[in-house]
Amino acid sequence: MADAVSTQSRPAVIGDSEFDRDTAVTRRAGEPGVYDIDLSAGWTIINALNGGYLLAVLGRALADALPHDDPFTVSAHYLTASAPGPAVIRTDVARSGRTLSTGQASLFQFAEDGSEVERIRVIASYGDLDTLPDDVRTSAEPPVMPPAEQCFGAGDAPESAPPVPGSSAISDRLHLKLDPATLGWALGAPSGKGEMRAWFGLADGRDMDPLSLLLAVDALPPTAFEMGLKGWVPTVELTVHVRCRPAPGPVRVSITTRNLAGGFLEEDAEIWDAKDRLVAQSRQLARVRLG
Amino acid sequence: MADAVSTQSRPAVIGDSEFDRDTAVTRRAGEPGVYDIDLSAGWTIINALNGGYLLAVLGRALADALPHDDPFTVSAHYLTASAPGPAVIRTDVARSGRTLSTGQASLFQFAEDGSEVERIRVIASYGDLDTLPDDVRTSAEPPVMPPAEQCFGAGDAPESAPPVPGSSAISDRLHLKLDPATLGWALGAPSGKGEMRAWFGLADGRDMDPLSLLLAVDALPPTAFEMGLKGWVPTVELTVHVRCRPAPGPVRVSITTRNLAGGFLEEDAEIWDAKDRLVAQSRQLARVRLG
């Protein structure tokens, strides 16, 4: 359904979209660096808020707190699971430089007695992507994957089919089309390879920007599914490097896991834009249950 | 010279070695979570302290401050360059869980007026590597490189040769043998590939442990040298995942850069132990000067 909406109505724009409204933070009067937000239930997977959505919320607060607008490198440690509802973000500026500034942010929610419980703690360095030189000397190549029309999203399953495992509220907000080569898990035949690839866009047609890249690196099904594992794969730590402002249009997200050991795995994500530029790299450490 | 010393005298042991003495931190009386250290000039490259040495110092303080001993994932943002001499580390525990605990640490030095200047800020999650299950399902393979005897260190240059660029005090503390395939830069003929590989050990023969892995991920010459670039490549952010306690003996460090763009590059490091296990992964974002 989301697909139909995104292609037939007028696309949303950066600054006026579901993603922008749901990540908007409000400065708390009289408390510099403190922000309030009502976390939206629209970005949940099963009952938990997506870690990339939460990272974008923290990234939004830091863009306000720091003198630079663009996240260059953001390191997040996930402490406790977040739920839709009120939250407060407390920021701290560590250093303001000419080309880079560094700060930290913590997201808190509230226990039954009203006390704050920390959900995520982040350190990030921000800059201005538009001031970087155009030089590119890269050996990285875009992922090999079919065009979006030959990939599959949550809306492509026949109505008689059981719901895709992990399909959730967030599915309606994303235009996510998975490479059939990494979709075996959904058909009960995982490939055994630690790979997951998809075309990614926002369902309302809003183009990508550095903040929505923070969402995109953690929005695909876990590679663990293609490795034959099931269940929750909670992120311990996630670091994103934004390397370039993305061009308009959908992006390709390619995630690779090489080392599953001791109940942990890494997920390395690359995001490529419509101009074949590597616009973001990320790595996360996550826990898995080994059957 | 360091090679001769390390192979002929009795090797140092974990807990009683150059590395342990130079990363030892002292709890400050009456100020919980605050540590003092005199940063050793023995770990400098040219005049700056090595970023991996500093990360190990912070890792040591967090191992004391947190209820768990082993760094699982450590994210560091480098704010200002550190120099040998007095420093203070301030730690804060974010969460103490049963299997993982998370904290942060900042390293400060002192301005001429005595005020504290922050050098590095770190968030880290610690656990106990010895409690992890033995399951390994990895597609990662050790780097292809010649045995250490066919690799080259700072001590292998003939006395008539000009000093290897970047050779410094830290060279005496490390048993570092570079793969000839990634040594073109030292001979004026860089390969053009973003690769750097070496056998790595501590010169006094101390075996590796999780803390010295934090040093090892940032102790090789920059990949930028093999890409034909010169000069300082300062780290903006460095995240290390320690995946396994290293076996006794030297480790292999393999570093790859895929994307040099806009004046920044990433360095991805893997460390493999003598039992062919992937014991650490790291990624850093660093700045380069584009000719």
Side-chain angles (χ1 to χ4, degrees):
Chain A
M1 295 294 290
D3 303 346
V5 171
S6 68
T7 52
Q8 288 172 15
S9 59
R10 188 159 53 175
V13 296
I14 294 173
D16 183 10
S17 72
E18 286 181 328
F19 174 78
D20 294 295
R21 284 187 287 279
D22 288 348
T23 56
V25 296
T26 306
R27 290 184 199 173
R28 190 180 282 187
E31 297 188 54
V34 181
Y35 302 84
D36 288 291
I37 184 170
D38 193 44
L39 296 172
S40 165
W43 303 87
T44 48
I45 296 184
I46 316 296
N47 295 314
L49 278 164
N50 171 264
Y53 163 68
L54 296 166
L55 197 61
V57 167
L58 285 157
R60 180 84 73 189
L62 280 165
D64 187 81
L66 292 169
H68 297 95
D69 287 339
D70 298 324
F72 276 32
T73 167
V74 182
S75 309
H77 287 245
Y78 290 77
L79 308 173
T80 54
S82 301
V88 58
I89 298 162
R90 300 180 179 280
T91 65
D92 173 49
V93 178
R95 177 175 177 268
S96 291
R98 188 175 57 83
T99 58
L100 284 178
S101 53
T102 302
Q104 88 175 61
S106 288
L107 180 78
F108 297 89
Q109 290 192 300
F110 306 96
E112 286 192 6
D113 66 0
S115 63
E116 291 185 353
V117 180
E118 191 168 358
R119 299 300 192 206
I120 308 175
R121 191 176 293 200
V122 163
I123 307 181
S125 294
Y126 275 53
D128 182 350
L129 287 169
D130 298 327
T131 64
L132 300 184
D134 286 331
D135 302 60
V136 177
R137 291 171 53 181
T138 186
S139 62
E141 296 193 359
V144 176
M145 54 190 288
E149 305 76 53
Q150 296 170 26
C151 294
F152 294 91
D156 297 323
E159 292 200 9
S160 59
V164 173
S167 78
S168 300
I170 194 172
S171 303
D172 294 335
R173 307 294 179 99
L174 304 181
H175 187 79
L176 194 63
K177 293 282 189 179
L178 288 163
D179 183 341
T182 66
L183 199 55
W185 60 277
L187 307 170
S191 70
K193 295 180 187 168
E195 298 177 6
M196 196 65 64
R197 289 183 295 275
W199 291 88
F200 177 97
L202 292 159
D204 62 9
R206 175 198 190 273
D207 279 322
M208 299 295 287
D209 68 349
L211 281 179
S212 68
L213 292 176
L214 303 186
L215 164 67
V217 296
D218 195 36
L220 271 56
T223 53
F225 288 0
E226 272 297 269
M227 300 174 83
L229 300 170
K230 292 175 182 174
W232 188 235
V233 186
T235 304
V236 176
E237 176 267 326
L238 169 60
T239 295
V240 187
H241 299 172
V242 176
R243 304 295 300 273
C244 181
R245 190 178 303 283
V251 296
R252 286 153 291 172
V253 183
S254 174
I255 305 184
T256 309
T257 294
R258 297 175 67 234
N259 192 48
L260 166 61
F264 289 84
L265 54 73
E266 92 285 0
E267 277 199 6
D268 283 356
E270 291 185 352
I271 303 184
W272 294 80
D273 74 1
K275 292 187 172 175
D276 272 357
R277 293 179 307 186
L278 180 54
V279 293
Q281 292 170 299
S282 75
R283 176 176 288 164
Q284 67 171 271
L285 185 69
R287 304 175 81 148
V288 288
R289 287 187 306 183
L290 297 171
Chain B
M1 295 297 288
D3 301 348
V5 171
S6 69
T7 52
Q8 288 171 14
S9 60
R10 189 159 52 175
V13 295
I14 292 174
D16 182 13
S17 72
E18 287 180 328
F19 174 77
D20 294 294
R21 284 187 288 279
D22 288 348
T23 57
V25 296
T26 305
R27 290 183 199 174
R28 189 181 281 186
E31 295 187 54
V34 181
Y35 302 85
D36 288 291
I37 184 171
D38 194 45
L39 296 171
S40 164
W43 303 88
T44 47
I45 297 182
I46 315 298
N47 295 314
L49 277 164
N50 171 264
Y53 163 69
L54 296 166
L55 198 60
V57 167
L58 285 157
R60 180 84 73 188
L62 280 166
D64 186 83
L66 291 169
H68 296 96
D69 286 340
D70 298 324
F72 276 31
T73 167
V74 181
S75 309
H77 288 245
Y78 291 77
L79 308 173
T80 55
S82 301
V88 58
I89 298 162
R90 299 180 180 279
T91 64
D92 173 47
V93 177
R95 178 175 177 271
S96 291
R98 188 176 57 84
T99 57
L100 284 178
S101 53
T102 302
Q104 88 175 63
S106 288
L107 180 78
F108 298 89
Q109 291 191 300
F110 307 96
E112 287 192 4
D113 67 0
S115 62
E116 290 185 355
V117 180
E118 191 169 356
R119 299 297 191 210
I120 307 174
R121 192 177 293 201
V122 164
I123 306 180
S125 294
Y126 275 53
D128 181 350
L129 288 169
D130 298 327
T131 64
L132 299 184
D134 286 332
D135 301 61
V136 177
R137 291 171 55 181
T138 186
S139 62
E141 296 193 0
V144 175
M145 54 189 289
E149 303 78 52
Q150 296 170 28
C151 295
F152 295 90
D156 298 321
E159 291 200 12
S160 60
V164 174
S167 79
S168 300
I170 193 172
S171 303
D172 295 334
R173 306 295 178 101
L174 304 181
H175 186 80
L176 194 64
K177 293 283 190 178
L178 288 163
D179 182 342
T182 67
L183 199 54
W185 60 276
L187 308 170
S191 69
K193 294 180 188 169
E195 297 177 6
M196 194 66 65
R197 288 183 294 275
W199 290 89
F200 178 96
L202 293 160
D204 62 9
R206 175 199 190 273
D207 279 321
M208 300 295 287
D209 69 349
L211 281 178
S212 66
L213 291 175
L214 303 186
L215 163 67
V217 296
D218 196 35
L220 272 57
T223 53
F225 287 2
E226 271 297 89
M227 300 174 82
L229 300 171
K230 292 175 181 174
W232 188 234
V233 186
T235 303
V236 176
E237 176 267 325
L238 168 61
T239 295
V240 187
H241 298 172
V242 176
R243 303 294 300 273
C244 182
R245 188 177 303 283
V251 295
R252 286 152 291 172
V253 183
S254 174
I255 306 183
T256 309
T257 294
R258 300 175 66 235
N259 192 48
L260 165 61
F264 289 84
L265 55 73
E266 93 284 359
E267 278 199 3
D268 283 354
E270 291 183 353
I271 304 185
W272 293 80
D273 75 1
K275 291 186 173 175
D276 273 357
R277 292 180 308 187
L278 180 54
V279 293
Q281 292 171 298
S282 76
R283 176 176 287 164
Q284 68 171 273
L285 184 69
R287 305 176 79 145
V288 287
R289 288 186 308 183
L290 297 171

